[in-house]
Amino acid sequence: MNIHQVILYFFVYSFLGWVYETIFVSLREREWSNRGFLMGPICPIYGVGAVAAVLICSDISIPMTFLLCMLGSAVMEYTTAYVLDKLFHASWWDYSNMPFNVNGYICLPASLMFGAAGVLISKILHPIISVPMAYIPEAVQEAAAFLLVAVCASDLTLTVSSLSDFAVRIKEFESRVNNAISNKYDELENTVSDKLATVKRHTMITDKTRESIIEREIKKADLRLSRIQMNALQGIRRFKKEELYEGNLGKIHALLLKISSKRKK
């Protein structure tokens, strides 16, 4: 297998992974969910995992293939989730409610499933997919690989740049929201007795009041999402950044998507 074929197989399996993720999550949530970190219809983590399984496991036994794919997928999934968490303080998948999970990044059922998928891909699916690849001229393979890499690199650059810029803006906005909520706490404390004032501050404001404050501040700041930001944020399962008032970032995320979607209509 030459480098051009490796690249093409990477994109084939990344696309198939995106199809699987999108269908599975859309059915589970009963609404369309464009899965993946990038704008394009690919999930690179599936492409990397599948190509690695093909290169490493094609000539070894099924039990060893299952074991290597299970362990390899766990390492790759944990590393990817950890990096995304550190960069954007968010998770594009969340196994927190699954048994035997580690920090919500990986879990035993998913790792077992990926082990089985590695066997399916390396022993059954790849031999079928590789047949038509043999009939594609090498020059066409090279051109297609170069084009796909260029498009993916542009997608990645635009996505990371857009989200990095958004991370700065959202951090500033969070401070604005926290100040507004803090002012609301002060207002409430001034209207209750000393005894009630000893109650934990976060119990004094309902979720509905908190959301109304955030929505008001979003409209005042005219905070909008670009198409790239909307696509990426729609894929986020949960925010993991701890703030002074728990839950603000998740509520900001939900309300931003809601308001931006209305504006685009």
Side-chain angles (χ1 to χ4, degrees), residues 10 162 179 190 229-230 232 258:
F10 163 78
S162 182
N179 288 335
N190 290 332
Q229 291 163 349
M230 283 190 68
K258 175 182 174 183

Side-chain angles (χ1 to χ4, degrees), residues 183-201:
N183 291 336
K184 186 65 176 179
Y185 286 140
D186 293 338
E187 178 185 327
L188 288 174
E189 285 182 342
N190 290 332
T191 62
V192 299
S193 67
D194 292 338
K195 184 176 181 179
L196 288 178
T198 61
V199 177
K200 287 184 178 181
R201 300 184 78 188

Side-chain angles (χ1 to χ4, degrees), residues 72 86 107 141 151 160 165-166 173 194 199 205 219 233 254:
K86 293 304 177 183
C107 69
Q141 291 183 22
V151 171
V160 172
D165 173 68
F166 182 69
F173 181 73
D194 292 338
V199 177
I205 288 186
K219 291 178 179 178
L233 289 178

Side-chain angles (χ1 to χ4, degrees), residues 200-251:
K200 287 184 178 181
R201 300 184 78 188
H202 69 271
T203 64
M204 300 177 66
I205 288 186
T206 64
D207 284 343
K208 185 175 181 180
T209 302
R210 186 190 300 272
E211 288 182 8
S212 67
I213 292 173
I214 294 173
E215 188 163 6
R216 182 192 67 206
E217 294 299 323
I218 288 174
K219 291 178 179 178
K220 282 170 57 178
D222 196 26
L223 197 60
R224 299 169 183 262
L225 295 179
S226 68
R227 185 179 296 274
I228 293 175
Q229 291 163 349
M230 283 190 68
N231 179 74
L233 289 178
Q234 282 171 342
I236 290 175
R237 298 298 91 190
R238 68 182 173 117
F239 283 95
K240 304 188 76 174
K241 187 178 180 182
E242 295 294 335
E243 291 295 329
L244 180 61
Y245 305 111
E246 185 180 358
N248 281 356
L249 196 56
K251 294 182 187 300

Side-chain angles (χ1 to χ4, degrees), residues 46-187:
Y46 282 91
V48 172
V51 170
V54 169
L55 292 175
I56 297 172
C57 302
S58 293
D59 298 323
I60 63 177
S61 67
I62 289 178
M64 185 59 69
T65 296
F66 175 83
L67 182 62
L68 287 176
C69 290
M70 182 185 73
L71 295 176
S73 68
V75 171
M76 184 170 58
E77 201 171 24
Y78 190 95
T79 302
T80 303
Y82 179 83
V83 171
L84 289 174
D85 183 6
K86 293 304 177 183
L87 287 176
F88 303 110
H89 307 291
S91 292
W92 270 256
W93 60 88
D94 181 16
Y95 295 129
S96 296
N97 296 323
M98 297 292 288
F100 306 105
N101 76 84
V102 181
N103 297 329
Y105 294 159
I106 58 175
C107 69
L108 182 59
S111 296
L112 291 173
M113 182 191 70
F114 287 130
V119 173
L120 175 65
I121 291 170
S122 61
K123 305 301 183 184
I124 300 175
L125 185 59
H126 186 73
I128 296 173
I129 292 178
S130 62
V131 172
M133 181 71 74
Y135 292 95
I136 302 176
E138 187 171 345
V140 175
Q141 291 183 22
E142 183 176 352
F146 178 81
L147 179 62
L148 288 170
V149 168
V151 171
C152 184
S154 298
D155 189 342
L156 178 62
T157 300
L158 287 172
T159 300
V160 172
S161 175
S162 182
L163 285 181
S164 297
D165 173 68
F166 182 69
V168 173
R169 293 172 59 204
I170 206 67
K171 185 176 181 180
E172 295 173 350
F173 181 73
E174 281 180 274
S175 297
R176 180 170 177 169
V177 168
N178 287 341
N179 288 335
I181 292 176
S182 182
N183 291 336
K184 186 65 176 179
Y185 286 140
D186 293 338
E187 178 185 327

Side-chain angles (χ1 to χ4, degrees), residues 14-26:
S14 294
F15 172 72
L16 292 177
W18 175 85
V19 170
Y20 160 75
E21 280 271 336
T22 299
I23 292 175
F24 177 77
V25 175
S26 295

